[in-house]
């Protein structure tokens, strides 16, 4: 008889959130409701015996469809006042992975990332090539302005208005950060991770961050852990953050909690900040962050929890 593992799910909606001083009760309630909806979508699959891959994709789709998060519907504008979205998935069983970058017409980029993983010999497809594969697979395509929201337009105007580098450094972290992600362990003990993002406000056209890069913003290996990160993408890429967590566990014998914390500390030495959610093969969770807050949620033993600040 095959062993049955306790299903576990954790999600994040981005680090560098709205400061506690600016967060209203009504706004916080909207975020909590959206996080809870994503948790229900993902954990419902796990509770019914579904796969960790199905669960993380379902959770991320819910967040992509919400204008509250910097992914899908609520993606930020780049320097050309356009949207370019990235996403990735990784399966801890067999190290299969798929990703898309700089796409502009795919309603749910995370679904396209899964198509890349399951139907092509590649790991990462970009721009028009990724959109061609998504269209061929029957995914929903939208006009680029589908992703536009008034709040993201205001954020672009706000960032452009910064006159000096000092002023830029004081721009709200929510304008600089933003990714959604999910990690899970299913009843079969398999781990999976998924990420999706619009990047950061006023980024250069064509810029690709850590989210679709395997080992940087996302990683999953049944021998260690699954990781979905959020934060300053360039620093996460240079630190190979997500893989660093797994490597510390596999080769250094560190626990998930220690490995996650130390990997994030290394990012800080490179001038970056952010956070991550991770689950290991034993079902332990870690959700460290070094910003004021990180939208996050998790389910253990059927208990749903959401949080924004410490």
């Amino acid at each position: 008889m095959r062993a049955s593992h306790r299903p576990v799910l954790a999600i994040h909606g981005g680090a560098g959130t709205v400061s506690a001083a600016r967060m209203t009760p009504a706004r916080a309630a909207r975020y909590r409701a959206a996080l809870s909806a994503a948790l229900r979508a993902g954990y419902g699959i796990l509770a019914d015996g579904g796969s960790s891959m199905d669960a993380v994709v379902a959770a991320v789709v819910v967040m992509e469809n919400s204008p509250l998060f910097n992914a899908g519907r609520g993606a930020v504008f780049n320097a050309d006042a356009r949207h370019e979205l990235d996403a990735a998935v990784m399966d801890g069983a067999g190290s299969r992975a798929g990703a898309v970058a700089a796409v502009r017409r795919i309603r749910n980029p995370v679904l396209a990332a899964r198509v890349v993983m399951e139907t092509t010999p590649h790991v990462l497809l970009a721009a028009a090539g990724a959109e061609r594969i998504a269209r061929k697979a029957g995914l929903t395509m939208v006009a680029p302005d589908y992703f536009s929201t008034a709040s993201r337009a205001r954020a672009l105007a706000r960032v452009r208005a910064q006159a000096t580098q000092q002023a830029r450094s004081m721009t709200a972290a929510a304008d600089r950060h933003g990714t959604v992600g999910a990690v899970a362990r299913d009843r079969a003990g398999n781990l999976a991770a998924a990420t999706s993002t619009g990047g950061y406000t006023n980024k250069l056209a064509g810029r690709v961050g850590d989210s679709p890069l395997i080992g940087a913003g996302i990683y999953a290996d049944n021998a260690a852990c699954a990781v979905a990160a959020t934060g300053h993408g360039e620093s996460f890429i240079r630190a190979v953050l997500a893989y660093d967590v797994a490597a510390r566990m596999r080769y250094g014998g560190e626990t998930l909690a220690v490995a996650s914390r130390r990997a994030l500390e290394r990012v800080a030495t490179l001038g970056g900040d952010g956070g991550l959610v991770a689950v290991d093969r034993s079902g332990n969770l870690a959700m460290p962050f070094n910003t004021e807050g990180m939208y996050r949620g998790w389910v253990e033993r059927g208990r749903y929890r959401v949080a924004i600040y410490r």
Side-chain angles (χ1 to χ4, degrees), residues 38 53 69 72 91 123 141 237 266 286 289 294 305:
M53 178 57 64
F69 303 107
D91 190 340
V123 171
M141 309 299 287
I237 294 169
R266 182 164 178 265
F289 56 95
M294 180 172 74
R305 299 285 300 276

Side-chain angles (χ1 to χ4, degrees), residues 63-64 66-76 83 147 149 152:
M63 291 186 283
E64 285 181 335
S66 169
L68 294 175
F69 303 107
N70 177 18
R73 179 71 178 90
V76 298
H83 306 284
F147 304 107
T149 62
R152 299 306 188 190

Side-chain angles (χ1 to χ4, degrees), residues 9-13 28-46 54-69 180-182 295-299 303-307:
L9 173 70
I11 65 173
H12 72 72
R30 289 194 295 272
Y31 276 106
R32 291 176 180 276
L35 291 168
S36 295
L39 286 175
R40 288 194 298 272
Y43 194 75
I45 290 170
L46 296 175
D54 287 344
V56 295
V57 169
V60 167
V61 164
V62 170
M63 291 186 283
E64 285 181 335
N65 290 343
S66 169
L68 294 175
F69 303 107
V180 303
Y295 300 113
R296 61 199 186 280
W298 63 102
V299 188
R303 186 180 182 187
Y304 288 67
R305 299 285 300 276
V306 296

